[in-house]
Amino acid sequence: VVVGASVAGALVACVGAENTEVAVLARESSVVTTSAALGGTDLATGVAAVLEARGINASPADVTKVIREAASAIPRRPRTTTLATDGGAVDITSDDVAEPVAAHTAAIHALLRQTLSDTPAGLVDDIIGEGILLTGGGAKLDGLATQLSIQLGIPVRLAAEPQWCGVRGAALAAESLDVMKRNFVYIR
């Protein structure tokens, strides 16, 4: 997200493995930040519980496969994957894991809503115009951006290669370290 002359504010949400971090950025600084212990690990725990209730002893790789191939944040979007078990192949559908996915999506929605309610009105107007950017590996959940956009009434888009945004940002910050040091010395 580049906050330029025509856009004063932007909202970025990073859905990570353990946490979801949300920031409203304006003029090269954070105006509002929110964080919650809510991430892909919580979704994986919920999906694993569903599989266990069906008598499937799923490995972490199996749970990841189900999330990647069958789970969808959009209700009733038909998706299926097949797991190999001791008893043979078992199909897992998006309906099978709909409950933990819906809970996960609702929690992210609530966090974004809270952040927007804490954001100054002028910046909310910019965010409504520009939309919300999702980053982090957890943002790759099928249909998450679409479902959040429907629920919030604001465009939500997925960053290109969202799982690498943090690494790319850190690399850019490292490249700009001399400039940052000069700015901090100047502020003092």
Side-chain angles (χ1 to χ4, degrees):
V1 171
V2 177
V3 180
S6 64
V7 178
L11 191 150
V12 179
C14 179
V15 184
E18 299 294 330
N19 296 303
T20 297
E21 309 284 341
V22 182
V24 174
L25 308 172
R27 308 281 184 224
E28 300 179 8
S29 66
S30 297
V31 176
V32 178
T33 59
T34 312
S35 179
L38 161 72
T41 303
D42 299 312
L43 177 58
T45 299
V47 168
V50 166
L51 297 174
E52 186 178 326
R54 286 194 53 190
I56 301 169
N57 185 16
S59 69
D62 290 336
V63 172
T64 299
K65 179 180 179 180
V66 169
I67 293 169
R68 192 174 339 134
E69 297 176 10
S72 180
I74 299 173
R76 296 180 207 33
R77 177 182 260 181
R79 298 186 73 205
T80 304
T81 192
T82 304
L83 294 180
T85 67
D86 293 337
V90 177
D91 286 341
I92 306 297
T93 69
S94 52
D95 287 342
D96 294 329
V97 295
E99 188 175 318
V101 171
H104 181 71
T105 304
I108 294 170
H109 171 253
L111 188 63
L112 291 172
R113 249 298 161 228
Q114 180 61 50
T115 304
L116 287 167
S117 72
D118 294 341
T119 301
L123 295 178
V124 171
D125 291 341
D126 287 338
I127 293 165
I128 289 170
E130 285 296 309
I132 295 170
L133 181 66
L134 293 180
T135 68
K140 292 173 64 174
L141 173 64
D142 177 73
L144 182 61
T146 301
Q147 187 63 17
L148 290 171
S149 182
I150 291 166
Q151 292 174 338
L152 294 166
I154 298 173
V156 178
R157 68 187 188 284
L158 184 63
E161 298 182 319
Q163 71 277 19
W164 298 112
C165 288
V167 172
R168 287 195 307 260
L172 288 170
E175 289 175 7
S176 303
L177 196 55
D178 289 338
V179 173
M180 291 170 56
K181 283 181 185 176
R182 283 194 303 267
N183 286 341
F184 287 130
V185 169
Y186 179 73
I187 291 170
R188 292 181 190 188

